[in-house]
Amino acid sequence: MVFDFEHLQSDLKHARSLEFQRRAAKAPSLNFTAIDPTEMVNALQSTLFPELPTSVRVDFVDGSFLGCINHTMSAATAHIWLHDILNRPATPAQVFRHILIHELIHLTVEPREVDQKVTDHPPEFWEIERRLSPERKQVWHWIWFQCWSLSATGKDGRTCDPSYPGMR
């Protein structure tokens, strides 16, 4: 029997995500933004992803990410979690638009193996993001400068990487 490390890693990631969801769902933050992210994701889904039958909910939480989606490819519902640092009236609508598009793309592009490693962001993911979110570079610059304290003091100890594929 061959040990399947990739599937184990995927299962552990999914288990962590479910545990985070369970804890975060108990205490989502109130929305203080100038736009309604749920209305925006519904509009984006109907115009950019009309084939998706998925119902999407958006909440703000204190997480270790700017945006994250929990779903299965066959599920009728998905939940997008946005970091509380974005939950303020000054956050531009373009930032939400980009992050929500990025998360919605996960509903259409399945993780797959690239260079002998399973990734949630294969090359076709980035191609779709570049096509649907031409403002991604400006958004990442805003995030980089406005959220520096989050990226510099993240729970994982890492800093924001300007070479992140979303910046290209």
Side-chain angles (χ1 to χ4, degrees):
M1 181 173 153
V2 176
F3 184 71
D4 190 347
F5 182 74
E6 293 292 332
H7 281 101
L8 176 62
Q9 198 172 20
S10 176
D11 289 346
L12 289 173
K13 182 178 177 183
H14 182 68
R16 281 192 305 266
S17 175
L18 290 175
E19 176 59 19
F20 169 76
Q21 252 190 29
R22 186 187 65 73
R23 285 184 283 138
K26 291 181 180 179
S29 301
L30 295 173
N31 181 4
F32 296 108
T33 61
I35 59 102
D36 181 339
T38 298
E39 284 181 15
M40 180 180 274
V41 79
N42 290 332
L44 290 167
Q45 183 178 354
S46 67
T47 57
L48 300 177
F49 305 94
E51 72 284 358
L52 291 177
T54 305
S55 168
V56 182
R57 177 177 158 192
V58 180
D59 281 310
F60 289 95
V61 295
D62 182 17
S64 60
F65 49 78
L66 286 174
C68 154
I69 190 167
N70 187 275
H71 72 292
T72 58
M73 297 307 276
S74 60
T77 61
H79 200 144
I80 295 176
W81 305 96
L82 299 175
H83 194 283
D84 273 334
I85 200 166
L86 300 172
N87 190 8
R88 51 193 172 134
T91 302
Q94 295 89 339
V95 171
F96 290 114
R97 182 181 186 282
H98 173 73
I99 293 171
L100 293 172
I101 286 172
H102 177 97
E103 299 308 331
L104 286 171
I105 294 169
H106 284 292
L107 297 174
T108 63
V109 176
E110 293 190 48
R112 70 175 181 83
E113 189 174 302
V114 176
D115 297 328
Q116 300 177 343
K117 182 178 179 186
V118 175
T119 178
D120 291 334
H121 302 100
E124 61 272 18
F125 183 99
W126 297 118
E127 291 171 21
I128 294 168
E129 182 181 277
R130 276 191 280 285
R131 184 172 42 84
L132 297 180
S133 185
E135 69 275 8
R136 72 191 178 288
K137 286 184 183 180
Q138 293 84 0
V139 165
W140 275 108
H141 286 290
W142 185 90
I143 291 168
W144 177 260
F145 290 108
Q146 296 297 317
C147 303
W148 176 255
S149 63
L150 171 69
S151 63
T153 60
K155 292 178 185 176
D156 62 1
R158 296 184 310 188
T159 58
C160 186
D161 181 358
S163 65
Y164 182 70
M167 292 285 284
R168 295 185 196 133

